Amino acid sequence: MFQLRLCLVLFLSSIVSLQAQQPKTYNSSEIYEAVQKLNVLGSVLYIAAHPDDENTRLISYMSNEVKARTAYLSLTRGDGGQNLIGPEIRELLGVIRTQELLAARRVDGGEQRFSRANDFGYSKHPDETLEIWDKDEVLADVVWTIRTFKPDVIINRFDHRRAGKTHGHHTASAMLSMEAFDLADNNDAYPTQLEYTATWQPKRLFYNTSWWRYGSQEAFNKLDKSNMLSFDVGVYYPSKGMSNNEVAALASSQHLCQGFGRLLQRGSQQEYIEFLKGEALNDSDNIFEGIDTSWNRVASGKAIGTILKSVETDFNFKNPASHLPQLLEAYKLLQSIEDEHWKAIKTKELKTIIEACTGLYLEASANTPNAAPNAVVNLEMEVVNRSTTNIDLVSYTLSALHTGVTKNMSLVSNQKLNFEESITIPSNSNYTTPYWLNKQSTLGMYSVTDQNLIGLPETPRAVSVDFNLLIEGTPLTITKPVVYRYSKPDKGELYRPFEIIPIVSASLSDDVYIFENNQQKDIEVTVKAGKNHIEGYVEMAYPNDWQVYPKKQRIAITNKGDIQKVIFTVIPPNNQSEGLITPMVNIDGEVYTDEIIEIDYAHIPYQTVLMPSKSKVVRLDIKKQGNNIGYIEGAGDVVPESLRQIGYDVTVIAPEQISPENLDDFDAIVVGIRAYNILEDLVFKQRFLLEYVKEGGNLIIQYNTNRGIKVDNLAPYDLHISRDRVTDENAEIRILEPNHQILNYPNKIDQNDFEGWVQERGLYFPDNWSKEFTPLLASNDKGENSKEGALLVAKYGKGNYIYTGLSFFREFPAGVPGAYRLFANLLSAGKQDEASLKN
């Protein structure tokens, strides 16, 4: 069922992904909707904490039904979550989730904003959240968003009054919104922002409430709702052929890495918002009460509004170009108004409508998807006027050229023109990478010092073309980013962003190298050329107590895009040790230490991320028993690769391959994170896994969420999964059974093994289990009761059933020594008795 549902979502999102990759074009209905929106001068800002927190139903309703300019401010980029579609976690997951939010906004019509807050993982209280985040800096970012977006209305996704009762990030987002509402119009608050923008006071603030806030629909029905507004967000849009709920579901389904793919929804549905602050409503259901959202809102706007209202009323769906005289007249009047905020917004909207009405196609495509500074890039410009409108191409200006290229050519109806230009990428060009990753971050904050970048969803494109036109005698400049357009026989026309990369990059084959003894290992470095004719050498930076040879290796790469692999031998110290190694590529005296990471999923644009190339090396004091491990993959982790690092022979078992004959030869079977949440086949295969244990096997189940478990019998005995977790990675671990075999064989586990853990101790611990289980560890966050479900072991028949909520999937990529030692003991469960019998 999961696969069927995912296939449906992927089919639907493929329509969106095509739009995400390709330049946007508009049909007549979309032009009409844009004109409707052009005639509304009202703004709504929706605020929450993470990607997928946003209520796409309400965002779509405000954007598509109310026609208000609507944005979602997500305080974080979701870096601390899990990834259901691939191995990317932390910063790379944040890049994916950023693009998924942008894909969602392309569907529901909203805009996207962020703060600099780093999603450090689950937080149980907003006090902890605001301590790890820099509260003042995040509050400044919320104020900045309000001052620059200038919303009339703010809607919080979460309740500021529920501290300690839900995710601390959620409550903190609402608390910061409440505070920022009062500060945004205060000249003394964050005065340096006023060099770039002006103060702003929103009219009112709401909380997007629902029955779940009150525990049940029955409780919500009894509630006094006199302080609330409600909207039927199930409205149907004939121009789209979809209801608002269908649009919202399609938008929400862009969050694929979070498993939010879902079926489309139809029918009436009420959404409620509770008034919190600002100017109260006078018995009205209009959130913009007291705000003129017509063109009369701006001085000299009445004439513009009269023209554009006429276009909307008498819109010509067969020939939208017939409205160009009116649209151009409105455009000229718009350039004279004094309100710079609405002038900028509506000029952008109006230029898009004018371009769409003419069927004008403007494109600048590079002959390569990327180039290094000082490289020469060939561009092909395509210009087509697909209407009978009089349009002249006066010139075009390329951002990489000092002067424009004069053309003074009339664009004959439907006659394509192509122009070729060569540009040199400036030597001082910034590399294409997410701007918030350019500097070292802290646990709670990304470092961004350029005020004009703060809040932007992605890095502005560095190379673009300004097409300078005369449309019916009216000067108009339309800017297009340079793209890379290409085709594949099995996929057709494709697009990628054009990106600027270093002349050379280097990557290591693994993020972590585990040395289980003092034996040397060969480590491979891949050097990739960002331009033709690269020559130089590679050397390694490494910890003082380690050795690496040779000291240098020469590289010579003829063609851009080609790679050269070199091998360094790394010798660990005799004792347990850990540190970082970094490849350093020296080209003509310039040292390059970054790697290029490429993220390529169909539902989001191609992403290039530039990050420091470094890997952790760990000399580990570890012993193992058993070698042959079977792994059933769940929601995506690197546990199999990590186990191979310490010498295990790991075989990935597809769910359909689970059978008694395929399991017998394994020393242990490990089930990946959330496997019982997403693998439908386990409903039918669980009996084979339990039979494997009964016959003497060793089964290790990693964490699953407590909702949506596919099987009735997760364990051979009663076992209840809760939402219990320990989010403090430094929380004390108490060993409950110090003499238990798993804590002593083949490695003696003590407190030192729980040092250096990252993000959390674990999550979704069981809170109730039968007497057959033995809890081995206990821990808790500050001020909470002891949680003893982190690691449970039970004998079943001749074998061992182990359930653990410890976050091994995070600790292995971070190279935490104790996590490896403990997991080796789990894999070795029961092997001490076998060894004794052999002896």
Side-chain angles (χ1 to χ4, degrees):
M1 184 63 185
F2 174 81
Q3 290 176 329
L4 178 63
R5 184 165 63 247
L6 182 59
C7 287
L8 175 60
V9 168
L10 288 174
F11 170 75
L12 292 169
S13 67
S14 67
I15 303 171
V16 180
S17 69
L18 287 174
Q19 295 176 348
Q21 308 285 345
Q22 296 178 352
K24 169 68 176 171
T25 57
Y26 294 79
N27 59 38
S28 290
S29 292
E30 290 169 325
I31 296 172
Y32 175 66
E33 290 172 352
V35 171
Q36 289 181 303
K37 201 160 189 173
L38 187 63
N39 281 323
V40 176
L41 281 71
S43 300
V44 177
L45 179 63
Y46 198 88
I47 298 179
H50 311 107
D52 74 32
D53 280 346
E54 82 274 28
N55 184 343
T56 54
R57 294 184 301 272
L58 196 51
I59 290 175
S60 178
Y61 181 85
M62 291 297 165
S63 178
N64 295 300
E65 176 65 15
V66 179
K67 305 297 183 185
R69 182 180 180 230
T70 308
Y72 172 43
L73 169 59
S74 176
L75 294 192
T76 77
R77 296 177 186 266
D79 326 72
Q82 281 84 52
N83 184 358
L84 289 180
I85 62 174
E88 297 89 355
I89 58 174
R90 292 302 306 149
E91 295 91 348
L92 297 180
L93 178 60
V95 173
I96 293 173
R97 298 190 73 186
T98 294
Q99 291 300 320
E100 288 184 338
L101 272 176
L102 289 171
R105 300 293 80 79
R106 283 189 288 270
V107 176
D108 61 32
E111 300 177 29
Q112 188 60 51
R113 298 288 189 277
F114 291 96
S115 82
R116 289 169 291 174
N118 191 345
D119 179 1
F120 56 85
Y122 191 87
S123 175
K124 293 182 177 178
H125 200 282
D127 288 351
E128 178 200 42
T129 298
L130 296 173
E131 182 179 340
I132 294 175
W133 291 349
D134 184 324
K135 179 193 172 183
D136 190 63
E137 291 294 295
V138 181
L139 179 59
D141 291 354
V142 181
V143 169
W144 171 255
T145 301
I146 294 172
R147 286 173 171 173
T148 53
F149 186 76
K150 301 189 184 307
D152 299 307
V153 174
I154 296 175
I155 302 175
N156 290 344
R157 179 57 168 144
F158 298 108
D159 191 344
H160 64 286
R161 299 159 292 197
R162 287 178 58 79
K165 298 179 181 178
T166 184
H167 197 323
H169 296 183
H170 293 171
T171 310
S173 71
M175 293 167 63
L176 291 170
S177 175
M178 291 284 288
E179 196 170 343
F181 183 90
D182 297 325
L183 292 176
D185 196 36
N186 184 343
N187 284 296
D188 295 327
Y190 309 109
T192 58
Q193 294 182 3
L194 303 181
E195 299 173 22
Y196 309 95
T197 188
T199 58
W200 179 256
Q201 182 58 60
K203 194 77 166 181
R204 49 186 66 96
L205 174 65
F206 295 92
Y207 157 50
N208 183 194
T209 190
S210 181
W211 65 264
W212 45 260
R213 161 65 176 83
Y214 299 92
S216 68
Q217 186 67 55
E218 181 181 7
F220 187 66
N221 291 341
K222 294 177 181 178
L223 197 68
D224 178 8
K225 300 183 182 63
S226 59
N227 203 35
M228 296 182 188
L229 298 182
S230 67
F231 312 96
D232 183 357
V233 295
V235 60
Y236 178 69
Y237 302 129
S239 61
K240 298 180 184 293
M242 289 193 293
S243 68
N244 186 74
N245 279 345
E246 289 174 290
V247 174
L250 189 55
S252 180
S253 290
Q254 301 310 303
H255 296 298
L256 292 182
C257 74
Q258 291 301 107
F260 265 50
R262 57 192 176 99
L263 295 174
L264 303 190
Q265 300 174 352
R266 288 160 287 277
S268 177
Q269 183 171 352
Q270 292 296 124
E271 282 288 341
Y272 294 85
I273 57 174
E274 176 190 353
F275 174 77
L276 296 178
K277 186 179 286 191
E279 186 176 303
L281 294 167
N282 294 317
D283 197 29
S284 166
D285 61 357
N286 177 15
I287 64 170
F288 291 111
E289 180 188 278
I291 305 167
D292 189 346
T293 60
S294 74
W295 277 98
N296 293 331
R297 178 172 190 162
V298 297
S300 305
K302 183 176 181 180
I304 300 171
T306 300
I307 295 170
L308 295 177
K309 198 65 181 177
S310 173
V311 173
E312 180 182 343
T313 302
D314 301 318
F315 189 76
N316 187 338
F317 285 89
K318 289 185 177 181
N319 182 22
S322 66
H323 297 294
L324 279 170
Q326 297 159 286
L327 295 171
L328 291 168
E329 181 62 26
Y331 175 82
K332 287 184 282 189
L333 292 173
L334 179 57
Q335 305 318 300
S336 300
I337 70 169
E338 296 180 359
D339 190 319
E340 294 297 329
H341 175 71
W342 284 112
K343 178 181 177 181
I345 293 167
K346 293 304 177 180
T347 294
K348 181 179 178 181
E349 292 180 11
L350 190 48
K351 285 167 71 171
T352 298
I353 292 170
I354 291 169
E355 180 185 357
C357 284
T358 62
L360 191 60
Y361 191 86
L362 303 170
E363 181 179 276
S365 178
N367 65 331
T368 176
N370 50 55
N374 295 316
V376 175
V377 177
N378 296 323
L379 301 182
E380 181 172 306
M381 265 73 75
E382 180 178 328
V383 180
V384 190
N385 169 20
R386 293 176 288 186
S387 72
T388 58
T389 307
N390 292 321
I391 303 178
D392 293 331
L393 175 61
V394 178
S395 64
Y396 48 74
T397 306
L398 291 85
S399 57
L401 292 180
H402 295 296
T403 58
V405 179
T406 301
K407 288 298 178 182
N408 289 325
M409 300 178 66
S410 179
L411 302 184
V412 179
S413 177
N414 213 30
Q415 297 298 305
K416 182 176 71 171
L417 296 177
N418 291 102
F419 309 101
E420 293 185 356
E421 297 290 343
S422 293
I423 61 171
T424 300
I425 304 299
S427 58
N428 61 348
S429 295
N430 293 324
Y431 300 135
T432 303
T433 193
Y435 68 85
W436 61 95
L437 300 180
N438 280 333
K439 295 183 179 179
Q440 181 67 40
S441 63
T442 65
L443 175 63
M445 294 294 294
Y446 284 114
S447 177
V448 182
T449 55
D450 185 341
Q451 185 66 54
N452 289 312
L453 286 176
I454 292 173
L456 295 183
E458 55 186 345
T459 305
R461 290 292 160 184
V463 185
S464 60
V465 178
D466 290 339
F467 292 92
N468 304 307
L469 308 163
L470 279 178
I471 302 180
E472 296 291 355
T474 301
L476 204 71
T477 296
I478 297 176
T479 302
K480 296 291 181 181
V482 171
V483 296
Y484 174 59
R485 181 167 66 112
Y486 63 108
S487 67
K488 289 186 176 181
D490 58 335
K491 294 183 179 179
E493 184 177 71
L494 298 170
Y495 282 82
R496 276 179 54 176
F498 174 75
E499 299 173 318
I500 299 174
I501 61 173
I503 65 170
V504 70
S505 59
S507 61
L508 293 154
S509 53
D510 292 291
D511 292 331
V512 177
Y513 294 94
I514 304 295
F515 293 74
E516 57 180 308
N517 50 44
N518 61 1
Q519 297 300 304
Q520 66 188 35
K521 283 188 179 183
D522 288 341
I523 290 180
E524 184 178 80
V525 177
T526 300
V527 181
K528 187 173 184 178
K531 70 170 189 175
N532 294 333
H533 306 300
I534 291 290
E535 290 189 12
Y537 62 87
V538 186
E539 55 187 340
M540 299 285 283
Y542 52 91
N544 290 333
D545 53 343
W546 293 64
Q547 297 181 56
V548 174
Y549 70 88
K551 294 300 181 184
K552 296 180 181 179
Q553 300 218 52
R554 287 200 58 77
I555 57 165
I557 306 176
T558 302
N559 297 316
K560 173 191 170 186
D562 284 351
I563 62 172
Q564 181 177 338
K565 296 185 177 183
V566 295
I567 303 293
F568 287 91
T569 299
V570 178
I571 304 173
N574 289 324
N575 300 317
Q576 186 158 308
S577 172
E578 55 187 284
L580 296 175
I581 57 172
T582 296
M584 301 184 297
V585 186
N586 191 306
I587 307 294
D588 297 328
E590 188 79 19
V591 177
Y592 298 85
T593 59
D594 287 337
E595 68 172 313
I596 293 175
I597 301 169
E598 298 171 330
I599 300 175
D600 188 9
Y601 291 103
H603 66 300
I604 60 174
Y606 192 96
Q607 297 294 299
T608 296
V609 184
L610 199 63
M611 296 188 71
S613 181
K614 59 185 178 181
S615 294
K616 190 172 185 179
V617 287
V618 180
R619 165 63 171 96
L620 190 58
D621 179 13
I622 189 170
K623 301 180 181 67
K624 310 191 306 294
Q625 285 294 326
N627 180 63
N628 196 17
I629 309 300
Y631 197 88
I632 300 167
E633 292 183 316
D637 57 52
V638 294
V639 172
E641 296 90 331
S642 300
L643 296 180
R644 292 184 185 113
Q645 282 266 9
I646 54 175
Y648 285 105
D649 184 2
V650 182
T651 301
V652 174
I653 305 170
E656 61 271 17
Q657 296 173 326
I658 299 173
S659 65
E661 56 272 20
N662 287 342
L663 301 181
D664 283 347
D665 293 335
F666 290 109
D667 294 307
I669 302 291
V670 182
V671 182
I673 62 173
R674 297 175 71 172
Y676 287 94
N677 298 128
I678 68 171
L679 298 181
E680 299 282 352
D681 284 357
L682 290 182
V683 174
F684 312 105
K685 301 295 185 176
Q686 178 71 345
R687 63 189 178 95
F688 298 134
L689 293 173
L690 296 182
E691 187 65 24
Y692 163 79
V693 181
K694 191 173 184 180
E695 292 302 317
N698 187 16
L699 180 65
I700 301 162
I701 309 294
Q702 297 179 87
Y703 98 93
N704 292 269
T705 63
N706 63 340
R707 290 182 294 180
I709 293 178
K710 305 297 183 185
V711 299
D712 295 328
N713 56 333
L714 182 62
Y717 312 111
D718 290 339
L719 181 68
H720 179 260
I721 308 300
S722 74
R723 294 181 62 84
D724 287 350
R725 61 173 76 205
V726 178
T727 60
D728 182 358
E729 64 269 31
N730 298 311
E732 178 192 4
I733 293 286
R734 295 177 293 281
I735 296 177
L736 301 176
E737 299 287 339
N739 297 322
H740 196 282
Q741 185 182 101
I742 281 182
L743 298 177
N744 290 276
Y745 181 81
N747 304 288
K748 175 66 176 176
I749 302 300
D750 58 26
Q751 293 295 332
N752 292 328
D753 291 297
F754 297 99
E755 293 180 359
W757 285 51
V758 298
Q759 187 157 327
E760 61 201 350
R761 288 298 190 190
L763 62 171
Y764 289 98
F765 296 162
D767 63 351
N768 194 7
W769 49 84
S770 69
K771 60 182 178 57
E772 287 82 2
F773 283 102
T774 299
L776 301 184
L777 304 173
S779 186
N780 57 272
D781 284 317
K782 184 179 179 180
E784 293 190 353
N785 295 328
S786 179
K787 310 269 188 306
E788 299 184 354
L791 180 57
L792 300 173
V793 182
K795 289 293 294 183
Y796 179 59
K798 302 175 186 177
N800 297 279
Y801 177 97
I802 301 171
Y803 188 94
T804 179
L806 294 172
S807 57
F808 290 104
F809 73 102
R810 293 199 188 281
E811 311 317 316
F812 287 169
V816 177
Y820 282 90
R821 285 167 43 84
L822 178 56
F823 209 85
N825 281 20
L826 302 185
L827 296 172
S828 303
K831 297 295 189 295
Q832 185 177 27
D833 297 333
E834 294 176 13
S836 299
L837 289 173
K838 290 178 181 179
N839 293 332

